[in-house]
Amino acid sequence: MLTFITLLVIACVPTQKLTIAGNVDLNDLQPLATPANRQTSALRVAIAAVISPKGTVESYAPLLRYLEEKLNRPVELIQRRTYMEINDLIAHGQVDMAFVCTSAYIQGHDTFGMELLVAPQVNGKTTYNSFLIVPANSLARSMADLRGKVFAFTDPISLSGRVYPTYLVQQLGFTPEEFFSRTFYTYSHDEAIRAIASGLADGAAVDSLVYAFMLERDPALREKLKVIHTSPDFGIPPVVVNPAIRPQIKHELKSILLEMANDAAAQEALKSIGVERFVPISDEIYQSARELMRTLLLFNQP
Amino acid sequence: MMKKIFEKFWSIAGAVSVCTKILGIVLGSTLLLGTGVIFQARAAFQATMMRLLEEQSISAARDLAARAADPILLNDLVYLQNLLDETVKNSPNVRYAFLLDPQGQIIAHTFHGGFPLALLSLNTVAATSHHHTVLIRTNEGLVWDTAVPILNRKVGIARVGVTDLSVQRVLSELTLQLGLTMLVVSVAGILVAALLTLILTRPIQELLQATREVAKGNFAVRVKRWADDELGDLADAFNQMSEQLALTENLRREREWLRRQLLEKVIASQEEERRRIARELHDSTSQNLTSLIVGLRMIEENCRQCPAQPKALELRAVASRTLEEVHELSLRLRPRILDDLGLAAALERLAAEWEARYKIPIDVAIRLNERLPGAVETAIYRIVQEALTNIVRHAQAHSASILIERRGNMLRAIIEDDGIGFDPQTRFGEHHLGLLGMRERAELLGGKLVIESAPGAGTSLLIEIPLSTLSSE
């Protein structure tokens, strides 16, 4: 009886049929071919890490696809962790066009002649501000109240994320190292906003455009954050080109970008990055920011 | 076919002892069950572990994809390499991990000194899929390879391979463990079976012994009731049977004793009757006949010329013949000589008369120094008388012999002839030849009678009668 039951049980075990996709010898290692030279004909577009790399890909994908169609050539997206790395790529001619931060433009313009192409217009303006934000339940009402707290900077050369808050601290007579108990870099504005929302930092200064964009995308953030200080207007982060770019390409790019507002096919791309239209721009608009940076540099170099 | 197999099985299983059978049952069951359990456990464990490995492969690939997106976008190759190396290092089952860019070019991988290119084409994933997992056979065993798209494949694909090496190892350990357990259980089973066998076979052994005792005639033997089971019932039944047999045997003995008593009395009264008739014939009838003969002679001598003289002569001859016959009859019924001079003289006279009458030479050797108890003398005399009658009637013998001797407390008589013999196995012969009566006479005195004969080889009767028991009577 026992024997019978045992046999029955054995017979009833479902024999899991596993399909084998293929055979591989894991020790049969072959040298990898050197990657084919990255599409030399591609237009190389760099985007500064205003928002995190993943967010950038998602937001800028329609715009890049639009450019590919218009130019009839592939567009290669290049991202780096810091603004300075992007500036270096532009300076060395490894990037044709770039979306950079205001301070990165000023640094690039003043050191190697980075050229303005167009500027995005948001809410009818080509300026933006630095918002000093704190958690919604914070008692802080100005920078002075954030003394001894944890502060999140975005990028070392970000105007709204580092230069302006540093300026505010200096106005109070301190260096950030003295004033805050601890500071850290998030390398992008959306991460700084998330750092405040999650309580990782007690305060941060962020790009007003990114702030508005994030709040629109994730309304739940409204409950968690509040703005306690707004900076004066600064010139909006522009679209720039490598100074060595061929003039025809520069012209072509400029006209495509300027025409986007009138092209029904471009609306999705504009909406995805939260821009109404691209408009021509001159260097004067960045003068206030430039002066602020100079003050800071003087202050920084005793 | 089945019957043949069963017969073969039974010829083996039926021939071994109960102990071996029980051990066989226990050991067979344990081994069979153990083997079944091992197979079952292995199969179930393997199936579960393979599912877990598949899940691990998926989760590792998902994790890698989530963490690799930003570094890929930022072209942070050092970080990516560390991420991959950690993915492999931190989970022992992950054999490899690598990242592909949207064009299918390898960004970074964990193989050292090259890449198994065959791996590339074995798995891919659609941009909108959560993941895609396949099973790949490698030289190191099976590998669950999962591909996960990074940002809908805009950034690339993460691939992770999880081997089943650890599962195989654990499986071997499990099998070994189960095997050892089975071994231990088998040993324990043998011990238990040995104990059971002892419990089971001990009463059987005892019953066997007791049965042999009963077969020998010892009805007093009783077996112990070991347990309240069938064997216990068997023991009870056996004891009942023994009691019944003892009762029956007693009854039989009593009857036998009564029968012997009766036989003894019959024989004794028969002898007494013969003796009385013989005496009567001798004392009265013979005397009368003698008187008659004397009277007739007187008539003969006194009346020589009478016409009745010849008739008287004739009558005297008849009377003389009748006297002779009466004499002989009396002798045969109960020879006086047996009572007066003893067995030796009686037998010698019997043999002499027999030899004279039937013309068969007979050799008589009687070695007795004294008179024997009357019953023994009568029995031996009658047995010899019957034996000689048989020889005349059936044996067609040319000669015969009688030997009577005393050996210690045993009287021994041997009567032999060189006749045609017979087969003593046929009971017909015994009955017919009056052997039963002879044997009974011997047995009544506590003795025995043995017949040795074969067709064509003569017949020999051996009678032995103990004398001590009789002298003590």
Side-chain angles (χ1 to χ4, degrees), chain A residues 34-83:
Chain A
T34 321
N37 219 352
R38 292 268 176 132
Q39 301 147 304
T40 42
S41 62
L43 179 77
R44 293 161 302 179
V45 177
I47 298 170
V50 176
I51 54 175
S52 64
K54 257 189 283 186
T56 305
V57 171
E58 282 162 2
S59 304
Y60 281 83
L63 175 67
L64 300 177
R65 262 204 311 278
Y66 180 77
L67 285 177
E68 270 180 346
E69 273 173 37
K70 284 287 170 186
L71 293 166
N72 199 22
R73 66 189 270 206
V75 171
E76 189 189 342
L77 171 66
I78 295 171
Q79 295 192 83
R80 288 297 180 265
R81 188 169 292 278
T82 63
Y83 295 168

Side-chain angles (χ1 to χ4, degrees), chain B residues 326-347:
Chain B
V326 166
H327 192 72
E328 198 178 313
L329 182 66
S330 131
L331 189 70
R332 204 178 296 162
L333 278 171
R334 178 79 193 180
R336 256 194 121 120
I337 192 167
L338 183 61
D339 293 328
D340 299 343
L341 296 177
L343 181 64
L347 283 180

Side-chain angles (χ1 to χ4, degrees), chain B residues 378-411:
Chain B
T378 306
I380 295 290
Y381 184 83
R382 292 294 179 205
I383 290 171
V384 171
Q385 205 175 16
E386 178 72 27
L388 291 179
T389 309
N390 281 340
I391 290 172
V392 170
R393 280 193 195 151
H394 308 292
Q396 303 169 26
H398 301 292
S399 69
S401 72
I402 298 169
L403 170 70
I404 311 280
E405 63 180 352
R406 180 174 183 159
R407 278 197 180 179
N409 282 329
M410 191 66 81
L411 181 73

